[in-house]
Amino acid sequence: MKRTPLRKVGKGTRARRAGMASAKAEVRARSRGRCEAMVSPECVGRAQHLHHRAKGIHDATSLLDVCRPCHDHIHAHPRRAYELGLLIHRSTAQ
């Protein structure tokens, strides 16, 4: 029987979670519960979802508080989202 090794959790996992929690709180305070994108015709105006502008970057500058229709619109229209800064390339975010 083949044994699979246990997944190792890297150092700093708790620190990353704490950093994400503080970034999330900062973004929620910044948005005051309102959608920060407002790009979808179906925008409800109330923020419901944290959107990562750059994949894997978990700081307040890379997060947006958006409604579900705007989040779907951003990913359905990436070229326009990049033009508006709602998506950014990871290399420019660092």
Side-chain angles (χ1 to χ4, degrees), residues 52-66:
H52 287 81
R53 295 171 59 215
K55 187 176 181 178
I57 309 287
H58 306 296
D59 61 13
T61 61
S62 181
L63 294 171
L64 293 174
D65 212 3
V66 298

Side-chain angles (χ1 to χ4, degrees), residues 31-49 65-73:
S31 74
R32 290 182 277 156
R34 296 188 196 114
C35 178
E36 294 184 296
M38 292 197 271
V39 292
S40 171
E42 293 88 27
C43 179
V44 295
R46 188 180 75 252
Q48 303 164 317
H49 181 77
D65 212 3
V66 298
C67 67
R68 176 57 63 183
C70 284
H71 188 253
D72 294 343
H73 188 85

Side-chain angles (χ1 to χ4, degrees), residues 39 73-87:
V39 292
H73 188 85
I74 289 167
H75 289 290
H77 303 90
R79 181 175 291 164
R80 182 74 175 131
Y82 278 108
E83 290 172 1
L84 295 172
L86 300 172
L87 287 174

